[in-house]
Amino acid sequence: MPRPILATIHTDALARNLDRARRAAVDSRVWAVVKANAYGHGIERVFESFRAADGFALLDLAEAERVRALGWRGPVLLLEGVFEPRDLELCSRLDLWHTVHCDEQIDMLAAHKTQVPQRVFLKMNSGMNRLGFAPERFRAAWTRLDALPQVDEISLMTHFSDADGARGVAHQLEAFERVTRDLPGERSIANSAATLRHAAATRCDWVRPGILLYGSAPDFPEHDAAHWQLQPTMTLSTRLISVQTLQAGDTVGYGSRFTAEGPMTIGVAAVGYADGYPRHCDTGTPVLVDGVRTRMVGRVSMDMITVDLTPVPQACFGSEVTVWGRASTGTVLPIDEVAKAAGTVGYELMCAVAPRVPVTVD
Ligand SMILES: *Cc1c(COP(=O)(O)O)cnc(C)c1O
């Protein structure tokens, strides 16, 4: 028998979260961002739930091919654009729209032989300082692109650094609007956090939600998924494979990291850092046993964690352990809470579920 660990992808929740994005941006078309293999969920597993999106946005050309192979004929956008000249041939062949964020990409386009002009999204670096043309260089890039026979429509985009936090989007929005005011073309600026928190200020032709589609709050812990009416799309579950009875002073696991203060029972669950459970999690990280909330204790091992069974005295060999997501009882443990205990974000946990974990879809 395989180990009892399992990741379950909830297709209903994916579809509802997409609907939530639509309600947050009623006048916009929605890119379903499916980069990093749909944030670890698997492009093929999320595809049907996201069919109602207006397009798929991602950055790996092999992933774009997978979206086309699923029969999607609508827009596909490469968020980082092309990496080398021959990528443009694939853009032509698969009808991919692509981001243009640097002069080298314009050079590649200028040298590209194509019968069919391509749709591009010209990206401004409005303050993130990662990809894109600085505001003072943006119009020159636009003019260069506009003169190329290889280019069809030019859309305009930028990306926010602080849509989820105190600094907000105003400073970047100001730069973007000042420079693009009289340029034609569609606009795309909002990620999940901007779509939820700055809907009115960032309203435009296309929104680009990623994380919200996967049921994680982009601004946790200020707001949680329930606040934004988002549903968990991934459950990582396993079972207890052992129960130990401890006395005061007994220690648990590597480094004797946890010491029992009195008599207690602990359960050993079949999940560890080789499954993608973060080794940074320490005593206190929440976990559900038989749907009851308790805590992880001691150090995370490669294949096991240990959990405090005090609140679930009936738990035994085989009891259900919910690492994150939804227990059979219906109780939810938000992935964001586990991420916070590990000093990271939900994005990283869902992307890091290891290949050895079997995945099912419900
Ligand atoms: C990943 C990404 C998004 C989606 O971001 P979320 O925070 O997951 O909503 C949007 N736009 C770009 C350019 C991205 O790279």
Side-chain angles (χ1 to χ4, degrees), residues 117 188 221 334 344:
S188 176
T344 184

Side-chain angles (χ1 to χ4, degrees), residues 67-342:
V67 170
R68 286 288 183 239
L70 287 163
W72 177 256
R73 289 167 193 274
V76 174
L77 174 63
L78 298 176
L79 290 167
E80 292 183 349
V82 297
F83 304 99
E84 55 177 334
R86 65 172 182 181
D87 294 346
L88 288 168
E89 291 161 26
L90 198 69
C91 291
S92 292
R93 187 150 53 79
L94 296 180
D95 188 18
L96 308 179
W97 301 358
H98 52 101
T99 301
V100 172
H101 62 76
C102 63
D103 283 312
E104 291 79 359
Q105 290 176 325
I106 304 183
D107 296 341
M108 289 186 230
L109 263 169
H112 179 53
K113 294 185 180 30
T114 179
Q115 309 294 321
V116 189
Q118 303 193 344
R119 168 93 177 248
V120 296
F121 277 62
L122 181 60
K123 185 161 188 178
M124 183 189 294
N125 167 18
S126 58
M128 175 76 133
N129 287 312
R130 218 174 46 176
L131 300 183
F133 292 90
E136 60 277 13
R137 297 191 45 234
F138 190 79
R139 293 189 72 104
W142 188 91
T143 305
R144 234 193 119 193
L145 273 180
D146 190 46
L148 292 181
Q150 290 89 344
V151 172
D152 173 23
E153 239 180 282
I154 307 173
S155 303
L156 313 175
M157 76 186 276
T158 195
H159 193 52
F160 296 125
S161 59
D162 290 79
D164 57 332
R167 196 173 179 205
V169 299
H171 62 294
Q172 289 186 256
L173 210 48
E174 188 278 325
F176 184 75
E177 281 170 357
R178 175 168 42 79
V179 174
T180 61
R181 191 166 297 137
D182 58 341
L183 289 178
E186 295 185 341
R187 268 80 170 151
S188 176
I189 58 180
N191 58 0
S192 295
T195 302
L196 293 171
R197 291 168 63 97
H198 305 284
T202 63
R203 171 162 303 150
C204 63
D205 302 285
W206 291 88
V207 291
R208 305 190 304 270
I211 196 70
L212 85 80
L213 302 178
Y214 306 98
S216 166
D219 56 355
F220 188 84
E222 184 182 343
H223 298 110
D224 63 11
H227 171 87
W228 294 119
Q229 300 163 287
L230 303 174
Q231 306 198 357
T233 58
M234 179 194 285
T235 293
L236 186 61
S237 62
T238 185
R239 297 195 176 276
L240 293 185
I241 58 168
S242 173
V243 173
Q244 299 287 348
T245 307
L246 308 186
Q247 304 305 323
D250 286 348
T251 62
V252 178
Y254 289 119
S256 300
R257 183 111 178 139
F258 176 79
T259 306
E261 288 176 359
M264 67 184 291
T265 53
I266 60 148
V268 180
V271 58
Y273 60 78
D275 300 301
Y277 190 87
R279 191 172 173 279
H280 282 100
C281 287
D282 209 337
T283 296
T285 302
V287 57
L288 306 179
V289 176
D290 283 340
V292 177
R293 197 179 165 108
T294 180
R295 57 178 182 150
M296 212 270 297
V297 296
R299 194 164 275 168
V300 175
S301 306
M302 182 185 284
D303 311 300
M304 287 174 267
I305 60 170
T306 37
V307 301
D308 182 356
L309 296 182
T310 309
V312 253
Q314 79 284 1
C316 58
F317 180 95
S319 288
E320 179 191 68
V321 176
T322 307
V323 178
W324 58 70
R326 192 180 296 279
S328 310
T329 57
T331 308
V332 169
L333 174 56
I335 193 170
D336 296 325
E337 291 194 35
V338 182
K340 181 156 184 294

Side-chain angles (χ1 to χ4, degrees), residues 51-66:
R51 242 185 208 287
D54 299 291
F56 288 87
L58 39 68
L59 37 85
D60 186 284
L61 282 101
E63 291 187 345
E65 286 190 285
R66 281 160 61 192

